Amino acid sequence: TSQQIFGNERSTESIILLPQVLYRYVKILLSTTGLLFTSALLEVTATIFALILVISIRKKIPKEWFVFSLFTIFIPTLTGTLSSMPRYIIVVFPIYIALATIKSNVVKIILAIIFTSLLLILTGMFAQGYWVA
């Protein structure tokens, strides 16, 4: 119940399923600009990227790890928002296994450029006070 006090739009009284959350984010992406758009795009992209990586490696990891990964990704979405999903996804360790299995040097270089660019941009935004934590 304390989530409502912080004003981060999380549902504490009902469970909201992922299709509803994704529909909400599509509406946000189509109707906003600026920091709200950037945050929503980052949250959706990180969530989808994590799901793709986990699903792509599901046959190479133990079932328990796969189930852990899915729960870790899906449980926070039941609050009705993808807020903080990049932070929650960090603990989904099979993602790192999936990234390590990439054989193409071109894909590795592209991912390194994307991740480095995001690191620089998001760190700069944090340093300027766009996010508290």
Side-chain angles (χ1 to χ4, degrees), residues 122-131:
L122 296 175
T123 301
M125 292 177 78
F126 173 77
Q128 292 178 3
Y130 286 99
W131 290 290

Side-chain angles (χ1 to χ4, degrees), residues 44-69:
V44 169
T45 305
T47 304
I48 292 171
F49 184 69
L51 281 172
I52 289 170
L53 287 176
V54 167
I55 290 170
S56 72
I57 198 163
R58 73 183 177 279
K59 294 181 181 177
K60 297 177 184 177
I61 60 174
K63 289 179 185 176
E64 296 84 6
W65 293 5
F66 180 66
V67 171
F68 166 78
S69 300

Side-chain angles (χ1 to χ4, degrees), residues 13-131:
E13 297 177 7
S14 64
I15 293 176
I16 300 171
L17 300 177
L18 187 59
Q20 293 171 293
V21 177
L22 292 176
Y23 176 74
R24 176 178 177 236
Y25 272 78
V26 167
K27 286 179 21 181
I28 290 171
L29 292 173
L30 293 175
S31 64
T32 61
T33 59
L35 184 60
L36 183 58
F37 176 84
T38 304
S39 296
L41 183 63
L42 177 66
E43 292 162 355
V44 169
T45 305
T47 304
I48 292 171
F49 184 69
L51 281 172
I52 289 170
L53 287 176
V54 167
I55 290 170
S56 72
I57 198 163
R58 73 183 177 279
K59 294 181 181 177
K60 297 177 184 177
I61 60 174
K63 289 179 185 176
E64 296 84 6
W65 293 5
F66 180 66
V67 171
F68 166 78
S69 300
L70 290 181
F71 279 154
T72 304
I73 294 170
F74 285 124
I75 287 177
T77 67
L78 297 175
T79 62
T81 182
L82 298 178
S83 177
S84 298
M85 281 304 289
R87 181 171 48 128
Y88 297 142
I89 289 169
I90 290 173
V91 299
V92 182
F93 63 91
I95 289 174
Y96 305 108
I97 297 170
L99 290 171
T101 62
I102 296 173
K103 296 191 182 354
S104 171
N105 284 334
V106 173
V107 173
K108 288 179 184 180
I109 290 170
I110 291 171
L111 286 174
I113 291 170
I114 290 170
F115 292 156
T116 303
S117 300
L118 283 172
L119 173 67
L120 294 172
I121 293 167
L122 296 175
T123 301
M125 292 177 78
F126 173 77
Q128 292 178 3
Y130 286 99
W131 290 290

